[in-house]
Amino acid sequence: MYFLYSLLLGASLIFGWPFWLLKVLRRRGYIRSLPQRFGRVPRRLRDRRPSIWVHAVSVGEVMAVAGLVEELRKRFPELRVLVSTTTPTGQKVARQTFGEASVFYFPLDFQFAVRRWLAALRPKLVVLVESEFWPNFLRLVEGAGVRTVVVNARVSDRSFPRYLRYKGMMRRILWGIDLFLAQSHEDARRLVSMGARPRHVVVTGNLKFDVKLQAELPIVAALRADFQRANAGPVLVCGSTAEGEERPLLRAFKGVLEEYPRAVMVLAPRHPQRFERVARLVSAPGLKLWRRSRWKSGESIGGGVLLLDSLGELSAAYGLGDVAFVGGSLVRRGGHNILEAAQHGIAILVGPHTENFRDIINLFRQAK
């Protein structure tokens, strides 16, 4: 099974080179990550002390495990607590949160790459966030005698049928994991259906409820002051928007401007590579556009769109809003975390596709 999987993985890399080339060209940060993804361990991480390896895919997972990483460092001062990510945006936030010396890119699931990282980090424990089930990685971790736990474990509606289709393979993979801490009873049921050992699955709730409210950033305080000076409002913060969502949101906002000419939309696309495209979308219908990257304190904003073309500021920026729209929910992406907006006590709008956060959404609906 593992030989065939590795063969297919290698073939996808070789024959899919146009896709990878396009990805590298579109995301400049991606090319810098390639050496680490192929097993090159930076000198700063070549420490003979053993470690705890925490893998958080992107920004949401990084923020979710911030408290856990802090607690692990307190409880196990003799171990290094190191954090890997998959996405460049997750890498940037992780470096800001945990320090560059403790953060790296997760290797591609080739045995040679994984072995190099295991040899360098010497982990005593591997902590995976949500649903990172990489066959070669988990087999090599188990073979090295390293304990593995999946925290905030969940199985999305989209992934579940696919996992069941390969239940035989998934059973082998999941049996090597020592503990699953599931977000909900439904996630626990799905994990067991996929092949996890029932006694190794425990429901502990969603770590994202434990995320602390981010301290107000200077940029947010400056924007709030400028909004007040310009008598701008109401403010609609549209966060983590995906391809296909900005057009209807901008059409709706034009309707808002007819009744509230000083209204402001703070628009934060999910992926940095889309910032330029979204800027053009805003300008096309003649809407006023300000870009966070070019905005200077004292510049009047009102009656238009502020494009939040930055990283790590959305959570605090929700505090500017009277209403928040949380993206990935008008299109079939499964939605994004509404708790970042909810922490500021503002009204929240979502589209119909919220499968990734179904339990949180249901709790909010039940509480009205």
Side-chain angles (χ1 to χ4, degrees), residues 235 237 317-325 340-348:
V235 178
V237 181
Y318 277 123
L320 293 167
D322 298 292
V323 179
F325 168 79
E340 292 180 338
Q343 287 179 320
H344 295 280
I346 63 176
I348 300 169

Side-chain angles (χ1 to χ4, degrees), residues 5-20 110:
Y5 166 76
S6 298
L7 196 64
L8 291 173
L9 187 65
S12 70
L13 192 65
I14 294 169
F15 294 108
W17 68 265
F19 166 78
W20 296 109
F110 292 108

Side-chain angles (χ1 to χ4, degrees), residues 15 55 86 212 232 326:
F15 294 108
H55 178 52
T86 300
K212 295 177 182 177
V326 181

